[in-house]
Amino acid sequence: MNEENTDGTNGCSKVRTGTQNEAALLALMEKTGYNMVQENGQRKFGGPPPGWEGPPPPRGCEVFVGKIPRDMYEDELVPVFERAGKIYEFRLMMEFSGENRGYAFVMYTTKEEAQLAIRILNNYEIRPGKFIGVCVSLDNCRLFIGAIPKEKKKEEILDEMKKVTEGVVDVIVYPSATDKTKNRGFAFVEYESHRAAAMARRKLIPGTFQLWGHTIQVDWADPEKEVDEETMQRVKVLYVRNLMISTAEETIKVEFSKFKPGAVERVKKLRDYAFVHFFNREDAVAAMSVMNGKCIDGARIEVTLAKPVIKENTGRQHLNGQISPNSENLIVFANKEESYPKTLGKPPTLAARLNGQHSPGPPEIERCSYPLFPGTKLTPISMYSLKSSHFNSAVMHLDYYCNKNNWAPPEYYLYSTTSQDGKVLLIYKIVIPAIANGSQSYFMPDKLCTTLEDAKELAAQFTLLHLGPF
């Protein structure tokens, strides 16, 4: 520990000397009884704590902490986070110089303690003028595999993934909306642990790996937003997947009403999926049990409880993770072994220019062109197999986001007015059909534009800012 915490700049930085660090950390260990080990660029305090028996805490007990001052260590941080509850493990990411890397992971013994830490310590002033960000850490065990031959069945994909990677638990495959005998060209592969998923991703990611003679695309699946149990206990809407496009809403209502006439309030169908609203939760749960796996118009349907759309502070919204409020747009990517903080170093977006503020729109990517040489092999792909970072346009980003959530595409409605000097001003209203029945039925920015392109882009950025993960 002493070797890792010596002052790498001969006393010129704020990092404490190795002796000072060692004394403070040893005092913490003696006081708490926790062990501390440094390995692989991180220092682990606890995991398990003294006297712990049984398995580690379940998923949802860990939080991510960003914007930590680089010269702050466990002797100062642990007492702060103990205010929320008992710490199972505290992992502080370390530089070779002895400074911390500005972020850490804190695992509590219960989910309630982790949620309390987020409520009371997010945006906490840990030193004068220094505010930390605290949000949930997502232990992602699922990979997105794109460019899969559409004729392959779930069993074939599962067998193939088990052959080439270890720790495969399940494969999620969605039938094509127009042809139920084919898949949609992608699948989600569930692994037994985040480590197993990370190892599989490393093996498959180079781009040269092929399945059935096809070069596949591999990335982390967007982690699902966890909805707390109390909220889910109030849900009385069912999400019905794998319907025929030709199936009518009335047909769905009749089928779901068979076990109890009059139980269904309404049905909202979008392409090959639908939301069935019940008057009572008990009827919704009973219908889910009865109808899951049944056939409607020849299609075998899947039925689950619908997850509510969660509206949060817009400062915490980002498609790939979370942004903590007042944290200079700190983005936390939600994969444990590859998590790292980034700050958005990009020019202001259109919304920023019009609103006079910086907004977390799609990340800016390098924009350049390369020569296309004769004979270059080109592979046809779907835009939905790309990563979200490939989209520089908010309009494309919103379409991609809806597709990832299995939502129908966004609907744009154009309006105009005339300015005092006679100019035609334009604005778009966007409707997301999948959530049109919720409290937010449409999204419309508070600025008018003089060009069609700017109006559409601004509306898409505004919508992305206000959408909560489904």
Side-chain angles (χ1 to χ4, degrees):
M1 192 184 303
N2 185 29
E3 179 182 352
E4 292 293 340
N5 288 285
T6 52
D7 189 339
T9 53
N10 297 320
C12 295
S13 79
K14 295 181 180 180
V15 181
R16 297 181 300 193
T17 66
T19 303
Q20 289 172 321
N21 264 341
E22 183 174 337
L25 297 177
L26 286 174
L28 175 66
M29 292 164 62
E30 183 177 348
K31 176 185 176 182
T32 62
Y34 281 63
N35 291 322
M36 189 179 293
V37 178
Q38 182 155 329
E39 58 184 8
N40 299 327
Q42 63 180 350
R43 200 156 57 200
K44 293 168 62 175
F45 172 81
W52 181 269
E53 294 182 2
R59 291 181 68 180
C61 294
E62 187 174 76
V63 299
F64 175 91
V65 187
K67 306 293 286 182
I68 299 172
R70 296 300 184 97
D71 59 337
M72 181 172 277
Y73 302 97
E74 292 87 347
D75 57 301
E76 291 184 77
L77 293 167
V78 166
V80 172
F81 283 89
E82 282 181 330
R83 298 175 190 174
K86 183 176 178 63
I87 294 175
Y88 175 85
E89 179 182 81
F90 188 104
R91 295 187 294 123
L92 183 63
M93 304 299 123
M94 299 298 295
E95 301 281 11
F96 181 76
S97 65
E99 289 185 324
N100 76 63
R101 295 170 66 185
Y103 66 103
F105 295 91
V106 186
M107 182 180 289
Y108 288 93
T109 57
T110 68
K111 293 182 180 180
E112 291 73 21
E113 292 170 332
Q115 290 299 317
L116 179 60
I118 294 170
R119 287 200 300 272
I120 67 174
L121 296 176
N122 185 45
N123 203 33
Y124 174 76
E125 189 172 15
I126 201 157
R127 281 187 180 167
K130 301 291 184 181
F131 298 86
I132 57 173
V134 182
C135 62
V136 68
S137 168
L138 298 175
D139 189 3
N140 203 345
C141 301
R142 185 178 292 183
L143 294 182
F144 170 83
I145 311 293
I148 291 176
K150 292 188 176 182
E151 68 275 7
K152 295 299 177 182
K153 306 297 183 185
K154 174 177 177 173
E155 295 73 19
E156 296 177 90
I157 300 170
L158 180 62
D159 289 343
E160 192 69 17
M161 294 308 301
K162 284 184 174 179
K163 287 178 187 176
V164 298
T165 60
E166 297 181 1
V168 177
V169 174
D170 192 18
V171 168
I172 301 166
V173 182
Y174 297 105
S176 168
T178 54
D179 185 349
K180 298 301 181 184
T181 65
K182 295 182 179 180
N183 69 64
R184 296 190 183 183
F186 64 87
F188 296 99
V189 184
E190 189 81 22
Y191 288 86
E192 63 186 11
S193 66
H194 174 75
R195 178 172 177 78
M199 295 299 289
R201 180 173 178 268
R202 274 182 210 152
K203 182 176 181 179
L204 301 174
I205 198 94
T208 57
F209 199 92
Q210 293 190 337
L211 291 178
W212 305 288
H214 291 251
T215 300
I216 58 171
Q217 282 89 41
V218 181
D219 201 356
W220 290 107
D222 288 341
E224 288 187 319
K225 180 72 175 180
E226 288 195 15
V227 181
D228 64 88
E229 190 63 28
E230 183 181 349
T231 300
M232 288 303 296
Q233 287 295 328
R234 297 194 297 268
V235 173
K236 51 184 180 179
V237 181
L238 297 182
Y239 173 55
V240 184
R241 189 167 56 205
N242 198 31
L243 290 159
M244 299 295 289
I245 289 182
S246 58
T247 299
E249 289 181 352
E250 186 58 34
T251 302
I252 300 169
K253 185 172 183 178
V254 169
E255 291 294 327
F256 275 81
S257 298
K258 280 183 177 179
F259 85 103
K260 185 178 178 180
V264 176
E265 179 185 3
R266 67 182 187 277
V267 174
K268 177 68 175 179
K269 183 174 182 285
L270 304 132
R271 285 179 62 79
D272 62 340
Y273 62 96
F275 296 94
V276 182
H277 296 251
F278 286 78
F279 288 104
N280 298 308
R281 174 180 167 79
E282 294 75 16
D283 293 338
V285 173
M288 177 176 64
S289 177
V290 171
M291 295 299 296
N292 188 37
K294 295 286 186 180
C295 285
I296 297 181
D297 290 346
R300 191 171 298 279
I301 61 173
E302 297 176 23
V303 185
T304 60
L305 285 171
K307 289 188 177 180
V309 176
I310 299 174
K311 300 292 189 297
E312 297 180 349
N313 269 336
T314 56
R316 291 183 60 83
Q317 311 282 323
H318 192 275
L319 301 183
N320 289 327
Q322 299 84 29
I323 299 180
S324 300
N326 305 317
S327 61
E328 300 175 15
N329 288 334
L330 172 70
I331 297 181
V332 181
F333 285 79
N335 299 310
K336 276 188 180 178
E337 292 180 8
E338 301 182 18
S339 294
Y340 55 93
K342 289 184 177 181
T343 51
L344 298 179
K346 61 173 185 167
T349 60
L350 171 67
R353 298 197 303 269
L354 293 176
N355 291 320
Q357 61 185 12
H358 191 77
S359 62
E364 191 77 15
I365 60 172
E366 180 186 10
R367 304 180 72 179
C368 54
S369 60
Y370 293 83
L372 177 62
F373 297 108
T376 299
K377 183 179 178 181
L378 299 175
T379 305
I381 64 170
S382 164
M383 62 171 275
Y384 301 117
S385 66
L386 298 172
K387 293 191 290 187
S388 59
S389 59
H390 285 95
F391 303 114
N392 194 52
S393 158
V395 172
M396 297 298 292
H397 206 131
L398 179 59
D399 188 69
Y400 174 88
Y401 178 56
C402 290
N403 180 269
K404 277 282 190 177
N405 282 286
N406 288 318
W407 291 351
E411 298 174 356
Y412 292 81
Y413 299 91
L414 183 63
Y415 298 88
S416 71
T417 187
T418 305
S419 67
Q420 292 181 346
D421 56 0
K423 289 182 180 177
V424 175
L425 302 178
L426 306 170
I427 191 168
Y428 272 100
K429 177 177 79 174
I430 296 181
V431 174
I432 307 296
I435 61 172
N437 289 327
S439 57
Q440 178 93 47
S441 58
Y442 67 88
F443 301 90
M444 181 183 285
D446 59 356
K447 294 286 188 292
L448 296 148
C449 298
T450 55
T451 70
L452 197 64
E453 293 82 0
D454 279 357
K456 196 167 189 178
E457 184 74 3
L458 178 60
Q461 287 194 359
F462 179 83
T463 304
L464 286 168
L465 279 168
H466 289 81
L467 272 178
F470 183 75

